[in-house]
Amino acid sequence: MIYVGELSDIPVGESVRVQGSVAIAVFNADGELYAIDDTCTHQDASLSDGWLEGCAVECPLHAACFDLRTGQPSGPPAKKPVRTHSVSVEGGSVYVEETVRVEARELARAE
């Protein structure tokens, strides 16, 4: 698990960026916490620098939007989803459990 910070460090409507195997953005959308890969799949832009509206974040570079619950883009220019990650709060501390990449799972099964 990756320590993100204290719940009070992520006000409603804000996000923070933490480092896992890749950068991960953690958002507080109306009191619900969501975590996705921080890099837009269209071009290398930080989604944690984007605009949050409800359960969607808009990339600051070319306005691609991603659903924080599923990682799916809502339409062009992004075509590929971002990974989503589990978020938990324990005693006021926020943690992210990074999702294993599909390729890593397949490699582990092959060994």
Side-chain angles (χ1 to χ4, degrees):
M1 299 248 278
I2 301 165
Y3 174 72
V4 175
E6 296 303 303
L7 185 56
S8 60
D9 296 337
I10 314 170
V12 171
E14 298 293 323
S15 64
V16 295
R17 181 180 170 152
V18 296
Q19 192 62 45
S21 64
V22 298
I24 296 172
V26 180
F27 296 88
N28 184 337
D30 298 323
E32 292 290 326
L33 297 176
Y34 300 95
I36 60 173
D37 282 353
D38 187 49
T39 305
C40 178
T41 57
H42 171 246
Q43 284 195 333
D44 291 338
S46 173
L47 294 174
S48 62
D49 291 335
W51 296 276
L52 184 62
E53 187 170 323
C55 283
V57 61
E58 181 180 318
C59 176
L61 195 56
H62 293 114
C65 289
F66 295 89
D67 187 312
L68 298 175
R69 297 166 293 193
T70 64
Q72 293 294 322
S74 62
K79 295 178 184 169
K80 290 177 51 180
V82 291
R83 286 187 310 162
T84 59
H85 309 281
S86 297
V87 181
S88 61
V89 179
E90 299 172 17
S93 296
V94 179
Y95 297 90
V96 168
E97 185 171 345
E98 187 172 7
T99 302
V100 176
R101 288 194 179 277
V102 172
E103 301 86 21
R105 277 190 297 216
E106 290 170 358
L107 286 174
R109 278 190 230 142
E111 292 178 347

